[in-house]
Amino acid sequence: MPVTAVTTDADALTMTLVGEFPSPVERLWRAFTDPRQLERFWGPPGYPSTFERFDFEPGGFAHYAMTSPQGETFRGRWEFVAIHPETGFEVLDAFADESWQPAEGMPVSRMRFEFEATASGSRFTSTTHFSSLEGLQQTLAMGAVEGSTLALNQLDIVLQDLRAYAEGKGTRTEILTDQHVRITRLINGPRELVWRAYTEPELMKQWLLGPDGWRMTVCEIDPTVGGRYRYAWAPEEGTEGEPFGFDGETLLVEPARRTVTTEHMTGTDFASTTNDLTLYEEDGATLVTTLIEYPDKEVRDMVLATGMTDGMETSYARLERVLAPLV
Protein backbone atom coordinates (compact mmCIF):
# COMPACT_ATOMS: atom_id res chain seq x y z
CA MET A 1 0.00 0.00 0.00
CA PRO A 2 1.35 3.49 -0.84
CA VAL A 3 0.74 5.06 2.61
CA THR A 4 3.78 4.29 4.76
CA ALA A 5 3.01 6.24 7.95
CA VAL A 6 0.30 8.22 9.72
CA THR A 7 1.31 9.93 12.96
CA THR A 8 -0.32 12.35 15.37
CA ASP A 9 1.36 14.72 17.82
CA ALA A 10 -0.84 16.04 20.61
CA ASP A 11 1.80 18.53 21.73
CA ALA A 12 2.35 20.01 18.27
CA LEU A 13 -1.38 19.60 17.41
CA THR A 14 -0.59 17.88 14.10
CA MET A 15 -1.51 14.84 12.04
CA THR A 16 1.02 13.78 9.39
CA LEU A 17 0.56 11.29 6.55
CA VAL A 18 3.38 10.01 4.31
CA GLY A 19 3.00 8.06 1.07
CA GLU A 20 5.60 6.64 -1.35
CA PHE A 21 4.85 6.25 -5.06
CA PRO A 22 6.82 4.86 -8.03
CA SER A 23 5.77 7.77 -10.27
CA PRO A 24 7.76 10.98 -10.96
CA VAL A 25 7.04 13.91 -8.68
CA GLU A 26 5.61 15.87 -11.63
CA ARG A 27 2.97 13.18 -12.12
CA LEU A 28 2.12 13.18 -8.41
CA TRP A 29 1.73 16.97 -8.48
CA ARG A 30 -0.74 16.77 -11.39
CA ALA A 31 -2.88 14.25 -9.52
CA PHE A 32 -3.37 16.70 -6.65
CA THR A 33 -3.90 19.81 -8.77
CA ASP A 34 -6.35 18.48 -11.39
CA PRO A 35 -9.85 18.23 -9.84
CA ARG A 36 -10.90 15.43 -12.19
CA GLN A 37 -7.98 13.32 -10.95
CA LEU A 38 -8.54 14.34 -7.33
CA GLU A 39 -12.09 13.03 -7.56
CA ARG A 40 -10.75 9.52 -8.11
CA PHE A 41 -9.03 9.29 -4.72
CA TRP A 42 -9.95 12.22 -2.45
CA GLY A 43 -12.35 10.34 -0.22
CA PRO A 44 -12.20 6.80 1.17
CA PRO A 45 -13.71 3.94 -0.86
CA GLY A 46 -17.47 4.35 -0.92
CA TYR A 47 -17.28 8.12 -0.43
CA PRO A 48 -16.02 9.52 -3.77
CA SER A 49 -15.64 13.27 -4.14
CA THR A 50 -17.02 15.65 -6.71
CA PHE A 51 -15.15 18.96 -6.95
CA GLU A 52 -17.61 21.69 -7.87
CA ARG A 53 -15.04 24.48 -7.69
CA PHE A 54 -11.25 24.50 -7.92
CA ASP A 55 -9.58 27.91 -8.13
CA PHE A 56 -5.94 26.90 -7.80
CA GLU A 57 -4.36 30.21 -6.81
CA PRO A 58 -3.64 31.97 -3.52
CA GLY A 59 -6.95 33.22 -2.16
CA GLY A 60 -8.91 30.79 -4.34
CA PHE A 61 -11.29 28.11 -3.10
CA ALA A 62 -11.98 24.45 -3.77
CA HIS A 63 -15.42 23.04 -2.96
CA TYR A 64 -16.05 19.31 -2.90
CA ALA A 65 -18.76 16.92 -1.80
CA MET A 66 -18.38 13.26 -0.82
CA THR A 67 -21.43 11.04 -1.36
CA SER A 68 -21.91 7.93 0.79
CA PRO A 69 -23.41 4.68 -0.55
CA GLN A 70 -26.67 5.71 1.12
CA GLY A 71 -26.70 9.06 -0.68
CA GLU A 72 -25.58 11.21 2.26
CA THR A 73 -23.53 14.26 1.28
CA PHE A 74 -20.51 15.51 3.24
CA ARG A 75 -19.08 18.82 2.06
CA GLY A 76 -15.62 20.27 2.44
CA ARG A 77 -13.74 23.35 1.31
CA TRP A 78 -10.18 24.48 0.88
CA GLU A 79 -8.95 28.05 0.82
CA PHE A 80 -5.60 28.12 -0.97
CA VAL A 81 -3.11 30.04 1.17
CA ALA A 82 0.16 29.42 -0.67
CA ILE A 83 1.29 27.57 -3.80
CA HIS A 84 4.86 26.45 -4.55
CA PRO A 85 4.80 24.87 -8.05
CA GLU A 86 5.52 21.13 -8.02
CA THR A 87 6.84 21.18 -4.45
CA GLY A 88 3.79 21.98 -2.35
CA PHE A 89 0.76 24.05 -1.44
CA GLU A 90 -1.11 25.03 1.71
CA VAL A 91 -4.84 25.28 2.38
CA LEU A 92 -7.24 26.16 5.15
CA ASP A 93 -9.29 22.98 5.36
CA ALA A 94 -12.84 22.99 6.70
CA PHE A 95 -16.05 20.99 6.74
CA ALA A 96 -18.65 23.03 4.86
CA ASP A 97 -22.37 23.71 5.03
CA GLU A 98 -24.71 23.89 2.04
CA SER A 99 -23.52 27.45 1.31
CA TRP A 100 -19.88 26.28 1.31
CA GLN A 101 -19.13 28.21 4.49
CA PRO A 102 -17.21 26.54 7.35
CA ALA A 103 -19.64 24.26 9.19
CA GLU A 104 -20.54 25.48 12.65
CA GLY A 105 -18.96 23.50 15.48
CA MET A 106 -16.44 21.76 13.23
CA PRO A 107 -12.67 22.35 13.31
CA VAL A 108 -10.83 24.45 10.72
CA SER A 109 -7.22 23.37 10.17
CA ARG A 110 -4.22 24.40 8.11
CA MET A 111 -3.02 21.62 5.81
CA ARG A 112 0.34 21.57 4.04
CA PHE A 113 0.87 19.26 1.03
CA GLU A 114 4.52 18.53 0.13
CA PHE A 115 5.90 16.67 -2.89
CA GLU A 116 9.50 15.50 -3.31
CA ALA A 117 11.44 13.26 -5.66
CA THR A 118 12.95 10.03 -4.33
CA ALA A 119 15.31 7.44 -5.78
CA SER A 120 12.35 5.21 -6.63
CA GLY A 121 9.79 7.86 -7.59
CA SER A 122 8.18 10.43 -5.30
CA ARG A 123 7.01 11.05 -1.77
CA PHE A 124 3.88 12.83 -0.61
CA THR A 125 3.57 14.31 2.87
CA SER A 126 0.53 16.06 4.28
CA THR A 127 0.72 17.80 7.63
CA THR A 128 -2.47 19.09 9.21
CA HIS A 129 -2.11 21.76 11.92
CA PHE A 130 -5.00 22.16 14.37
CA SER A 131 -5.73 25.23 16.46
CA SER A 132 -6.68 23.19 19.54
CA LEU A 133 -6.35 19.74 21.06
CA GLU A 134 -10.14 19.45 20.94
CA GLY A 135 -10.10 19.98 17.18
CA LEU A 136 -7.43 17.29 16.72
CA GLN A 137 -9.31 14.83 18.93
CA GLN A 138 -12.62 15.54 17.20
CA THR A 139 -11.09 14.87 13.79
CA LEU A 140 -9.41 11.65 14.95
CA ALA A 141 -12.68 10.44 16.52
CA MET A 142 -14.35 10.83 13.11
CA GLY A 143 -11.93 8.27 11.62
CA ALA A 144 -9.50 10.67 9.94
CA VAL A 145 -6.53 8.29 10.14
CA GLU A 146 -8.38 5.31 8.67
CA GLY A 147 -10.22 7.40 6.08
CA SER A 148 -7.09 9.24 4.90
CA THR A 149 -5.15 6.00 4.60
CA LEU A 150 -7.85 4.27 2.56
CA ALA A 151 -8.24 7.35 0.35
CA LEU A 152 -4.54 7.78 -0.46
CA ASN A 153 -4.11 4.05 -1.06
CA GLN A 154 -6.30 4.55 -4.15
CA LEU A 155 -3.78 6.93 -5.69
CA ASP A 156 -1.56 4.26 -7.28
CA ILE A 157 -4.34 3.50 -9.79
CA VAL A 158 -4.66 7.18 -10.69
CA LEU A 159 -0.94 7.71 -11.26
CA GLN A 160 -0.59 4.94 -13.83
CA ASP A 161 -1.90 4.71 -17.34
CA LEU A 162 -5.09 2.72 -16.92
CA ARG A 163 -4.19 0.03 -19.45
CA ALA A 164 -0.71 -0.35 -17.97
CA TYR A 165 -2.16 -0.66 -14.48
CA ALA A 166 -4.58 -3.42 -15.50
CA GLU A 167 -2.52 -5.19 -18.20
CA GLY A 168 -2.68 -8.95 -17.74
CA LYS A 169 -4.16 -8.73 -14.26
CA GLY A 170 -7.76 -9.71 -15.05
CA THR A 171 -10.20 -9.43 -12.17
CA ARG A 172 -8.46 -8.24 -9.01
CA THR A 173 -9.83 -8.69 -5.48
CA GLU A 174 -8.34 -6.60 -2.67
CA ILE A 175 -9.29 -6.88 1.01
CA LEU A 176 -9.45 -3.33 2.39
CA THR A 177 -10.92 -3.92 5.87
CA ASP A 178 -12.69 -6.70 7.76
CA GLN A 179 -15.91 -5.65 6.03
CA HIS A 180 -14.77 -4.16 2.72
CA VAL A 181 -13.48 -5.78 -0.46
CA ARG A 182 -12.65 -3.95 -3.70
CA ILE A 183 -12.89 -5.76 -7.05
CA THR A 184 -11.53 -4.17 -10.22
CA ARG A 185 -11.54 -5.19 -13.87
CA LEU A 186 -10.62 -3.20 -17.00
CA ILE A 187 -13.13 -3.67 -19.81
CA ASN A 188 -12.25 -2.80 -23.39
CA GLY A 189 -15.13 -0.56 -24.27
CA PRO A 190 -16.56 2.89 -23.48
CA ARG A 191 -18.26 3.65 -20.19
CA GLU A 192 -21.68 4.25 -21.73
CA LEU A 193 -21.73 0.73 -23.17
CA VAL A 194 -20.56 -0.85 -19.92
CA TRP A 195 -23.29 1.06 -18.08
CA ARG A 196 -25.87 -0.31 -20.51
CA ALA A 197 -24.56 -3.82 -19.89
CA TYR A 198 -25.29 -3.36 -16.20
CA THR A 199 -28.73 -1.77 -16.59
CA GLU A 200 -30.35 -3.40 -19.66
CA PRO A 201 -31.64 -6.96 -19.05
CA GLU A 202 -31.19 -8.07 -22.67
CA LEU A 203 -27.49 -7.21 -22.52
CA MET A 204 -26.92 -8.50 -19.02
CA LYS A 205 -28.38 -11.91 -19.85
CA GLN A 206 -25.62 -12.33 -22.44
CA TRP A 207 -22.69 -11.97 -20.07
CA LEU A 208 -23.49 -12.20 -16.33
CA LEU A 209 -23.44 -16.00 -16.31
CA GLY A 210 -20.48 -16.86 -14.10
CA PRO A 211 -18.60 -20.09 -14.90
CA ASP A 212 -19.30 -21.96 -18.12
CA GLY A 213 -22.25 -24.32 -17.84
CA TRP A 214 -24.65 -21.92 -16.17
CA ARG A 215 -27.56 -19.93 -17.57
CA MET A 216 -29.39 -16.86 -16.29
CA THR A 217 -33.04 -17.71 -15.75
CA VAL A 218 -34.27 -14.43 -14.26
CA CYS A 219 -33.03 -10.90 -15.00
CA GLU A 220 -35.27 -8.11 -13.73
CA ILE A 221 -33.80 -4.62 -13.28
CA ASP A 222 -35.25 -1.31 -12.15
CA PRO A 223 -32.15 0.95 -12.17
CA THR A 224 -33.82 3.85 -10.36
CA VAL A 225 -33.44 4.84 -6.71
CA GLY A 226 -35.78 2.66 -4.68
CA GLY A 227 -36.17 0.21 -7.57
CA ARG A 228 -35.76 -3.52 -7.09
CA TYR A 229 -33.83 -6.12 -9.06
CA ARG A 230 -33.78 -9.91 -9.14
CA TYR A 231 -31.32 -12.30 -10.77
CA ALA A 232 -31.35 -16.11 -10.83
CA TRP A 233 -29.11 -18.80 -12.33
CA ALA A 234 -29.39 -22.52 -12.90
CA PRO A 235 -26.88 -25.15 -14.07
CA GLU A 236 -27.20 -26.56 -17.54
CA GLU A 237 -27.51 -30.30 -18.04
CA GLY A 238 -24.28 -32.00 -17.06
CA THR A 239 -23.14 -29.15 -14.78
CA GLU A 240 -23.10 -29.70 -11.02
CA GLY A 241 -24.76 -27.21 -8.70
CA GLU A 242 -28.10 -25.94 -7.45
CA PRO A 243 -30.12 -22.97 -8.75
CA PHE A 244 -29.65 -19.74 -6.81
CA GLY A 245 -30.37 -16.05 -7.10
CA PHE A 246 -29.98 -12.58 -5.65
CA ASP A 247 -32.35 -9.71 -5.09
CA GLY A 248 -31.96 -6.19 -3.77
CA GLU A 249 -32.74 -2.50 -3.92
CA THR A 250 -31.07 0.41 -5.71
CA LEU A 251 -29.87 3.01 -3.18
CA LEU A 252 -28.01 5.50 -5.37
CA VAL A 253 -27.71 6.22 -9.10
CA GLU A 254 -25.35 8.56 -10.95
CA PRO A 255 -26.02 7.56 -14.58
CA ALA A 256 -23.06 6.03 -16.42
CA ARG A 257 -20.83 6.65 -13.40
CA ARG A 258 -22.02 5.01 -10.16
CA THR A 259 -24.77 2.83 -8.75
CA VAL A 260 -25.15 1.43 -5.24
CA THR A 261 -27.37 -1.57 -4.49
CA THR A 262 -28.07 -4.00 -1.69
CA GLU A 263 -27.58 -7.69 -2.45
CA HIS A 264 -29.38 -10.56 -0.71
CA MET A 265 -29.33 -14.27 -1.56
CA THR A 266 -32.91 -15.08 -2.48
CA GLY A 267 -34.71 -17.49 -0.20
CA THR A 268 -32.21 -17.27 2.68
CA ASP A 269 -31.94 -15.30 5.91
CA PHE A 270 -28.36 -14.25 5.11
CA ALA A 271 -27.61 -10.58 5.77
CA SER A 272 -27.42 -8.30 2.73
CA THR A 273 -24.25 -6.74 1.40
CA THR A 274 -23.93 -3.24 -0.08
CA ASN A 275 -22.38 -3.18 -3.57
CA ASP A 276 -20.98 0.15 -4.78
CA LEU A 277 -20.22 0.05 -8.53
CA THR A 278 -18.24 2.83 -10.22
CA LEU A 279 -17.12 3.21 -13.84
CA TYR A 280 -14.17 5.28 -15.04
CA GLU A 281 -13.19 5.57 -18.71
CA GLU A 282 -9.77 6.34 -20.14
CA ASP A 283 -8.59 5.90 -23.73
CA GLY A 284 -11.61 3.83 -24.75
CA ALA A 285 -11.38 1.40 -21.82
CA THR A 286 -13.49 1.37 -18.67
CA LEU A 287 -12.30 0.48 -15.19
CA VAL A 288 -15.11 -1.31 -13.36
CA THR A 289 -14.70 -1.05 -9.58
CA THR A 290 -17.04 -2.80 -7.17
CA LEU A 291 -16.72 -2.02 -3.47
CA ILE A 292 -18.55 -4.64 -1.40
CA GLU A 293 -19.44 -4.04 2.23
CA TYR A 294 -20.08 -7.26 4.17
CA PRO A 295 -21.82 -7.49 7.55
CA ASP A 296 -18.68 -8.95 9.14
CA LYS A 297 -15.35 -10.66 8.47
CA GLU A 298 -16.83 -14.17 8.67
CA VAL A 299 -19.32 -13.51 5.87
CA ARG A 300 -16.59 -11.80 3.83
CA ASP A 301 -14.31 -14.82 4.07
CA MET A 302 -17.13 -17.28 3.36
CA VAL A 303 -18.08 -15.47 0.15
CA LEU A 304 -14.50 -15.09 -1.07
CA ALA A 305 -13.92 -18.81 -0.50
CA THR A 306 -16.65 -19.67 -3.04
CA GLY A 307 -14.38 -18.75 -5.94
CA MET A 308 -16.29 -15.54 -6.61
CA THR A 309 -13.32 -13.84 -8.28
CA ASP A 310 -12.88 -16.62 -10.84
CA GLY A 311 -16.58 -16.56 -11.68
CA MET A 312 -16.51 -12.80 -12.13
CA GLU A 313 -13.49 -13.03 -14.43
CA THR A 314 -15.33 -15.48 -16.67
CA SER A 315 -18.29 -13.09 -16.83
CA TYR A 316 -16.13 -10.04 -17.51
CA ALA A 317 -14.28 -11.81 -20.33
CA ARG A 318 -17.67 -12.68 -21.79
CA LEU A 319 -18.77 -9.03 -21.40
CA GLU A 320 -15.85 -7.86 -23.55
CA ARG A 321 -16.88 -10.29 -26.28
CA VAL A 322 -20.49 -9.07 -26.09
CA LEU A 323 -19.47 -5.41 -26.32
CA ALA A 324 -16.89 -5.81 -29.10
CA PRO A 325 -19.41 -5.63 -32.00
CA LEU A 326 -21.06 -2.57 -30.41
CA VAL A 327 -17.93 -0.45 -30.01
Side-chain angles (χ1 to χ4, degrees):
M1 292 292 188
V3 174
T4 58
V6 182
T7 58
T8 59
D9 188 328
D11 294 326
L13 302 179
T14 60
M15 181 179 79
T16 303
L17 180 149
V18 180
E20 302 278 349
F21 302 92
S23 302
V25 68
E26 297 86 358
R27 180 67 189 89
L28 187 62
W29 171 264
R30 291 200 304 274
F32 277 87
T33 56
D34 177 350
R36 301 290 78 83
Q37 295 184 52
L38 264 172
E39 290 175 339
R40 297 181 59 198
F41 68 90
W42 193 256
Y47 292 77
S49 293
T50 300
F51 277 79
E52 301 185 11
R53 178 177 179 180
F54 197 83
D55 306 326
F56 191 57
E57 59 184 9
F61 290 90
H63 295 164
Y64 65 90
M66 293 186 291
T67 304
S68 78
Q70 291 73 34
E72 303 166 290
T73 300
F74 303 91
R75 294 178 176 84
R77 73 173 220 164
W78 293 343
E79 179 181 353
F80 294 102
V81 176
I83 296 174
H84 312 288
E86 297 194 1
T87 62
F89 61 90
E90 296 180 40
V91 302
L92 292 179
D93 179 43
F95 297 91
D97 60 22
E98 292 183 359
S99 300
W100 300 108
Q101 297 304 306
E104 186 175 350
M106 301 299 288
V108 176
S109 57
R110 188 182 184 106
M111 185 181 296
R112 184 172 71 249
F113 298 79
E114 297 176 283
F115 309 88
E116 58 182 312
T118 65
S120 59
S122 55
R123 178 180 299 116
F124 165 73
T125 304
S126 71
T127 305
T128 304
H129 297 263
F130 296 87
S131 58
S132 68
L133 181 59
E134 292 74 20
L136 170 59
Q137 292 174 334
Q138 183 180 7
T139 301
L140 294 178
M142 295 172 66
V145 171
E146 298 83 357
S148 298
T149 301
L150 287 169
L152 268 295
N153 279 338
Q154 301 171 116
L155 184 50
D156 56 346
I157 302 176
V158 179
L159 295 176
Q160 298 183 55
D161 173 83
L162 198 55
R163 291 185 184 275
Y165 170 79
E167 186 70 33
K169 298 181 176 68
T171 301
R172 303 177 66 184
T173 298
E174 303 167 85
I175 295 176
L176 302 180
T177 70
D178 284 351
Q179 291 180 264
H180 296 89
V181 168
R182 179 172 58 206
I183 301 171
T184 54
R185 175 58 150 86
L186 188 70
I187 301 296
N188 281 308
R191 184 173 65 178
E192 293 287 344
L193 272 181
V194 177
W195 178 261
R196 286 180 53 198
Y198 270 96
T199 56
E200 297 180 11
E202 290 308 312
L203 274 177
M204 180 173 281
K205 286 188 290 187
Q206 298 178 51
W207 70 273
L208 192 60
L209 307 178
D212 293 336
W214 287 79
R215 57 191 174 88
M216 199 172 197
T217 56
V218 177
C219 184
E220 301 171 356
I221 307 172
D222 180 354
T224 60
V225 174
R228 305 287 304 182
Y229 73 87
R230 188 164 68 98
Y231 310 141
W233 295 266
E236 297 176 345
E237 186 175 353
T239 299
E240 294 184 0
E242 296 294 328
F244 70 97
F246 293 102
D247 56 79
E249 178 185 356
T250 300
L251 305 179
L252 176 72
V253 177
E254 298 176 20
R257 180 173 182 262
R258 184 185 185 201
T259 182
V260 182
T261 59
T262 62
E263 183 177 271
H264 165 257
M265 181 171 280
T266 304
T268 74
D269 58 1
F270 295 159
S272 296
T273 63
T274 300
N275 296 1
D276 190 340
L277 173 78
T278 58
L279 306 180
Y280 173 76
E281 181 182 348
E282 185 178 292
D283 190 29
T286 300
L287 183 67
V288 178
T289 302
T290 305
L291 178 71
I292 305 176
E293 180 178 333
Y294 295 94
D296 52 48
K297 180 178 183 296
E298 289 69 30
V299 173
R300 181 202 73 185
D301 292 344
M302 178 183 69
V303 173
L304 292 180
T306 64
M308 176 184 70
T309 302
D310 292 338
M312 294 180 72
E313 172 57 27
T314 302
S315 286
Y316 282 137
R318 191 181 293 113
L319 173 59
E320 289 190 306
R321 295 194 296 270
V322 169
L323 295 185
L326 305 177
V327 175

